[in-house]
Amino acid sequence: MAVAEFEIPTLTEYTVVPKINPGAMTKVKSFIAPQGPQEYLGYPWELGPDWKERAIDKMGDLLGKYRSLRVFMDACVHCGACTDKCHYFLGTADPNNMPVARQDLMRKVYRRYFTLPGKIVPWLVGAEDLTEDTLNEWYTYYHQCSECRRCSVYCPYGIDTAEVTMAGREILNHIGMGQKYSNEILVKVQKIGNNLGLPGPALEDTLLGLEEDIEADTGVAVKMPLDVEGAEIMLVTPSADFFSEPHVESLIGYAKVFHAAGVSWTLSSKASEAGNFGLFNGNYETMQKVAMRIRDAALELGCKRIIVGECGHAWRVAYSFWNTLTGIGYGGNDPFSKKLQDQLDHRYPQPMHICEYTWDLIQNDVLKFDKSLNDDRVITFHDSCNVARGSRMGTEPGGQFTIPRNIIKAVANNFQDMPAETIGEGTFCCGGGGGLLTDDLIEVRVKGALPRMNAYNSVVQGNQVNFLALICAICKAQFTKVFPYYGFDRGQVGGVHQLVSTAIKLD
Amino acid sequence: MTSLTVIFTGLLYVATIILIAGIAYRVYEYSRTPAPLVIPTTPAPTTNSGVVMRMAREVFLFESLFKSNKWIWLFGWLFHIGLALVLLRHIRYFQEPVWFWVEFLQPYGKYASFMMLVGLAGLWARRFLVDRVRYISTPSDHLMLALLIAIGMSGAMMTFVSHTDIVALKAFALGLVVFDLQPVPEDPLLLIHLGLVALLMIIFPVSKLLHAPGIFFSPTRNQKDDPRATRHIAPWATALERDKA
């Protein structure tokens, strides 16, 4: 059992909605970004004398640029449907972690400065002046939201708290209150090429080492090519896949799949990161800059297909936003989009998820497996929030749920889903997404994982499950960290392509 | 022409103008604000007709609310369907002859006022009984429910308890439509009813009642899931792209 300075929730048969406990998480606060990253990203690093005007101006700017924020600020009726849906509320009982209350932290300021009733009768409509106390509440509670969108599934108007959190963080950044963790990563990915800050030579070295390991293990010379011009496929994957456990096991799995399919593929040192923390900050331009690295690498290497590895928010950005941000996709008729479209192979969707790719090969009988090699595992699958509610796989809505499960069932004999209300579109976040995967927020992460831990525990107890299969680098890192707090072995955490890797037959 | 008639005629005209102009302005604002990214809550429909179906299920059946909480769904749906029937029934006061389907709805519309009141009472009870909902309720949330209940009660009283002079009321209402002012019946219950309805119409465009037009503009519900096949880009974002090229 790991040592903690806070009370670790106890596992229960199913997750119980707690009685509210105001202020329970007020003191848990992520480190504020210092001058370095703030300056690099073009933000101030301390509140200036005019912070209030700049905050209100920025809010007005965002209200004019994002219909989501504009409509969501007005539409909420305080019905309460979302109040028991957030994993951070369920795990902490802090009422400010109820989605509606989290939104209201901003809505009360919106009402005060942008609506008529808020200007003339603020006390009646819950409108409040913007003060430094409000800023602190924003900073605290907009960093206790993983932008997982579970609340948006249940809101009768589709209000997505993620959009409000993103706007909140964007405003905070603009007045000098950025988050250290996310903003340092945004610097590393732009300066060095990936979130972990690993330079090209280190990457090359690692890949060579992995090739040796695979050959020693299987007797087959499976390659991990880097920066190969003219390769058919460019694989873009989270940088954790190169160095972290259990992530690297999935990277080995992708390489084996490409090897078995007999295709030419490559990684890119420039695009050595699929993740895009620009999403978490809600800054369009930053997100675009980070995404442009992928387009640039694709053009330089001349690849015909772009495939994305196991990463939740990266897949949301790739699937839903890359076409908009960078022209990776189809349907654009501007020179910018056409330049890349002309290069890509139109027989395939662009970008493609590694699970879509592997599942296509399985359906076409290209891959062979010995499923018994996974017989020591009883597997369950955690739907990652951004994949589940912010993207798709395959041609049909809901393919993001069926395709990864189909792969698991094709490579292993023992599969058991967790309770229905905790998976699919209602899936609980791992508790570490959205820029919260940092040690200064460990209390939030452990408590926020409670609903998922309860669901996992129910299949561990009831069905002897001993493996949690994932398709997200953040989920993998988060569960590896929080499993011991709940008495589970962190070796039970792994990737879907780790299972593929175990069972695939190579020749 | 009594001063009471002048006051109520003026009030109802002003309220109607504010309601229509206010909502039109909001709709204009919402429609002119771009949605720069594709953000439907998935799984989402991949076609326009699929989006229309999704929106219809949200608007008529409250699909997401049903997934969320059966009590809120039950009370919310009773209230809204009851209100819709009651409103449709009220069309009879503004036309002569009355459309056959309005005639047909008359008995249902009368009793729908009870559905409406039961729904409102249930929603209000939750604001006291459920600690989470109590925490998020503002004075305006309570007053809005009080206002709607007062409108429903005063209306139902006139239908079921103390009948107002319906012939005179219809003459007044028809007069409003054709700008031929007729005296307002001096029944206190009716005057309360009309006054509160006017108040509701006036606050509609600046209150949470904007959820009604708002839902149609909610990007998580009205966008289709096709971002790999179609390039979706907002005008302000196109400008960024040009700067970079």
Side-chain angles (χ1 to χ4, degrees), chain A residues 10 202 242 306 312 337 373 440 456 505:
Chain A
T10 33
F242 302 122
I306 301 171
S337 306
L373 293 172
D440 38 305
Y456 182 66
K505 288 183 181 172

Side-chain angles (χ1 to χ4, degrees), chain B residues 71-80 118-120 122-123 126:
Chain B
W71 284 114
I72 308 178
W73 178 84
L74 178 69
F75 293 133
W77 199 77
L78 279 177
F79 160 58
H80 282 87
V118 168
L120 288 167
L123 292 173
R126 287 185 56 81

Side-chain angles (χ1 to χ4, degrees), chain A residues 91-363:
Chain A
T92 67
D94 189 319
N96 276 335
N97 279 329
M98 301 189 295
V100 50
R102 198 186 310 283
Q103 296 160 21
D104 274 355
L105 294 176
M106 182 172 295
R107 196 173 280 119
K108 67 186 183 185
V109 178
Y110 163 75
R111 285 185 175 278
R112 184 74 179 100
Y113 296 92
F114 295 93
T115 72
L116 189 62
K119 283 175 185 165
I120 54 182
V121 279
W123 53 272
L124 183 67
V125 294
E128 281 178 30
D129 284 342
L130 179 59
T131 62
E132 285 200 45
D133 287 344
T134 320
L135 286 186
N136 284 319
E137 279 182 326
W138 284 12
Y139 189 85
T140 302
Y141 292 104
Y142 290 136
H143 292 100
Q144 294 188 24
C145 167
S146 57
E147 304 174 346
C148 82
R149 315 185 88 205
R150 188 167 195 265
C151 47
S152 84
V153 172
Y154 298 102
C155 173
Y157 320 114
I159 297 174
D160 180 5
T161 311
E163 296 289 309
V164 180
T165 292
M166 289 169 190
R169 293 183 187 177
E170 168 80 337
I171 296 168
L172 288 167
N173 261 320
H174 273 268
I175 57 170
M177 288 178 74
Q179 187 213 21
K180 182 168 182 275
Y181 170 70
S182 293
N183 288 2
E184 282 181 348
I185 279 179
L186 279 167
V187 175
K188 277 187 276 187
V189 74
Q190 293 184 72
K191 273 190 176 167
I192 303 169
N194 52 63
N195 291 356
L196 292 186
L198 306 160
L203 184 58
E204 199 177 349
D205 210 41
T206 305
L207 296 176
L208 284 172
L210 288 173
E211 286 178 353
E212 286 169 15
D213 291 348
I214 301 173
E215 192 162 359
D217 197 33
T218 64
V220 181
V222 173
K223 294 294 162 202
M224 291 207 178
L226 182 65
D227 294 329
V228 177
E229 275 185 43
E232 187 190 340
I233 292 169
M234 178 174 79
L235 175 73
V236 184
T237 205
S239 57
D241 282 3
F242 302 122
F243 285 89
S244 303
E245 280 289 345
H247 307 63
V248 71
E249 304 296 337
S250 281
L251 176 64
I252 293 169
Y254 319 146
K256 287 181 180 174
V257 168
F258 290 130
H259 178 90
V263 293
S264 67
W265 70 286
T266 186
L267 291 155
S268 155
S269 51
K270 178 179 234 168
S272 54
E273 177 61 64
N276 189 333
F277 275 39
L279 171 73
F280 302 152
N281 269 5
N283 185 298
Y284 189 97
E285 285 184 67
T286 307
M287 186 159 71
Q288 186 170 45
K289 274 185 204 155
V290 174
M292 281 296 284
R293 296 155 39 254
I294 317 293
R295 175 193 163 95
D296 294 345
L299 287 168
E300 278 170 33
L301 296 175
C303 64
K304 302 281 184 212
R305 302 176 66 179
I306 301 171
I307 294 184
V308 180
E310 295 176 354
C311 184
H313 83 277
W315 180 240
R316 182 180 182 199
V317 175
Y319 174 88
S320 293
F321 305 155
W322 271 1
N323 200 0
T324 298
L325 298 170
T326 71
I328 300 174
Y330 300 120
N333 53 11
D334 49 299
F336 177 81
S337 306
K338 277 186 177 159
K339 186 176 174 192
L340 183 62
Q341 280 177 40
D342 289 347
Q343 177 186 316
L344 297 172
D345 186 339
H346 287 239
R347 290 173 302 169
Y348 305 101
Q350 309 283 357
M352 204 170 183
H353 194 281
I354 187 69
C355 285
E356 292 179 303
Y357 179 75
T358 299
W359 179 236
D360 275 359
L361 293 177
I362 292 173
Q363 285 179 300

Side-chain angles (χ1 to χ4, degrees), chain A residues 21 23-28 92 94 97 140-141 144 443-444 447:
Chain A
N21 180 7
M25 295 295 281
T26 308
K27 292 206 171 68
V28 183
T92 67
D94 189 319
N97 279 329
T140 302
Y141 292 104
Q144 294 188 24
E443 182 174 349
V444 180
K447 291 180 174 176

Side-chain angles (χ1 to χ4, degrees), chain A residues 17 19-20 63-68 70-72 74-81 83-85 89 95-96 98 100 117 123-125 149 152-158 160 163 284-285 287-288 315-316 319-321 323-324 327 329-332 334 336-337 349-352 356 388-392 394 397-398 400-401 425, chain B residues 26 29-46 54 58 62 64-65 67-69 72 80 123 126-127 129-133 135-141 143 206-212 214-215 217-222 225-234 236-238 240-241 244-245:
Chain A
V17 180
K19 287 278 165 211
I20 61 170
L63 285 165
K65 277 181 169 173
Y66 290 88
R67 184 185 297 162
S68 51
R70 183 73 193 78
V71 172
F72 295 165
D74 281 342
C76 178
V77 300
H78 288 175
C79 74
T83 54
D84 56 353
K85 300 298 183 280
F89 172 70
N96 276 335
M98 301 189 295
V100 50
W123 53 272
L124 183 67
V125 294
R149 315 185 88 205
S152 84
V153 172
Y154 298 102
C155 173
Y157 320 114
D160 180 5
E163 296 289 309
Y284 189 97
E285 285 184 67
M287 186 159 71
Q288 186 170 45
W315 180 240
R316 182 180 182 199
Y319 174 88
S320 293
F321 305 155
N323 200 0
T324 298
Y330 300 120
D334 49 299
F336 177 81
S337 306
Q350 309 283 357
M352 204 170 183
E356 292 179 303
R389 291 182 284 260
S391 77
R392 172 160 59 99
Q400 66 269 41
F401 308 132
E425 68 173 356
Chain B
R26 289 294 179 212
E29 259 189 339
Y30 293 161
S31 61
R32 149 201 99 148
T33 309
L37 294 164
V38 182
I39 60 165
T41 307
T42 60
T46 54
R54 182 186 205 179
E58 285 296 359
F62 302 0
S64 297
L65 189 56
K67 284 182 203 167
S68 174
N69 185 307
I72 308 178
H80 282 87
L123 292 173
R126 287 185 56 81
R127 294 211 179 275
L129 300 177
V130 181
D131 67 336
R132 303 186 307 279
V133 186
Y135 180 87
I136 56 171
S137 297
T138 60
S140 60
D141 293 327
L143 286 174
V206 292
S207 72
K208 66 177 185 176
L209 301 180
L210 287 170
H211 67 280
I215 172 125
F217 293 93
S218 178
T220 62
R221 293 293 180 271
N222 75 6
D225 170 18
D226 67 345
R228 286 194 287 197
T230 313
R231 187 153 196 247
H232 173 107
I233 189 157
W236 64 260
T238 314
L240 289 179
E241 202 165 86
K244 288 194 171 67

Side-chain angles (χ1 to χ4, degrees), chain A residues 30-46:
Chain A
S30 195
F31 296 147
I32 291 191
Q35 181 178 353
Q38 288 296 100
E39 201 164 20
Y40 183 87
L41 295 171
Y43 298 126
W45 50 93
E46 48 196 12

Side-chain angles (χ1 to χ4, degrees), chain B:
Chain B
M1 193 70 32
T2 64
S3 53
L4 201 62
T5 298
V6 174
I7 289 169
F8 270 82
T9 302
L11 180 65
L12 288 169
Y13 278 137
V14 168
T16 306
I17 291 166
I18 289 177
L19 177 74
I20 294 173
I23 293 180
Y25 179 69
R26 289 294 179 212
V27 166
Y28 166 74
E29 259 189 339
Y30 293 161
S31 61
R32 149 201 99 148
T33 309
L37 294 164
V38 182
I39 60 165
T41 307
T42 60
T46 54
T47 60
N48 285 330
S49 55
V51 168
V52 170
M53 289 302 294
R54 182 186 205 179
M55 191 60 83
R57 291 196 307 274
E58 285 296 359
V59 171
F60 293 109
L61 303 176
F62 302 0
E63 183 182 41
S64 297
L65 189 56
F66 186 79
K67 284 182 203 167
S68 174
N69 185 307
K70 299 295 186 284
W71 284 114
I72 308 178
W73 178 84
L74 178 69
F75 293 133
W77 199 77
L78 279 177
F79 160 58
H80 282 87
I81 296 300
L83 177 64
L85 286 169
V86 166
L87 284 176
L88 291 173
R89 187 186 82 81
H90 277 68
I91 292 174
R92 68 185 290 112
Y93 298 124
F94 298 95
Q95 57 181 197
E96 187 58 47
V98 174
W99 291 331
F100 81 93
W101 61 267
V102 177
E103 202 71 74
F104 171 78
L105 280 178
Q106 171 68 6
Y108 304 101
K110 276 167 73 175
Y111 290 98
S113 56
F114 294 114
M115 272 172 81
M116 191 180 138
L117 288 168
V118 168
L120 288 167
L123 292 173
W124 207 356
R126 287 185 56 81
R127 294 211 179 275
F128 294 100
L129 300 177
V130 181
D131 67 336
R132 303 186 307 279
V133 186
R134 193 165 60 228
Y135 180 87
I136 56 171
S137 297
T138 60
S140 60
D141 293 327
H142 289 284
L143 286 174
M144 193 67 81
L145 285 163
L147 177 60
L148 287 163
I149 285 176
I151 290 172
M153 295 269 273
S154 56
M157 291 273 282
M158 285 184 284
T159 308
F160 296 104
V161 181
S162 160
H163 296 281
T164 196
D165 182 347
I166 211 71
V167 176
L169 170 62
K170 180 147 183 175
F172 172 70
L174 274 173
L176 290 177
V177 175
V178 297
F179 302 102
D180 171 21
L181 302 195
Q182 300 296 318
V184 66
E186 300 199 2
D187 174 355
L189 215 46
L190 176 70
L191 297 179
I192 289 171
H193 189 68
L194 292 180
L196 294 179
V197 168
L199 178 61
L200 185 72
M201 290 162 77
I202 289 167
I203 60 175
F204 196 111
V206 292
S207 72
K208 66 177 185 176
L209 301 180
L210 287 170
H211 67 280
I215 172 125
F216 296 100
F217 293 93
S218 178
T220 62
R221 293 293 180 271
N222 75 6
Q223 289 184 335
K224 61 183 167 182
D225 170 18
D226 67 345
R228 286 194 287 197
T230 313
R231 187 153 196 247
H232 173 107
I233 189 157
W236 64 260
T238 314
L240 289 179
E241 202 165 86
R242 210 175 301 118
D243 296 343
K244 288 194 171 67

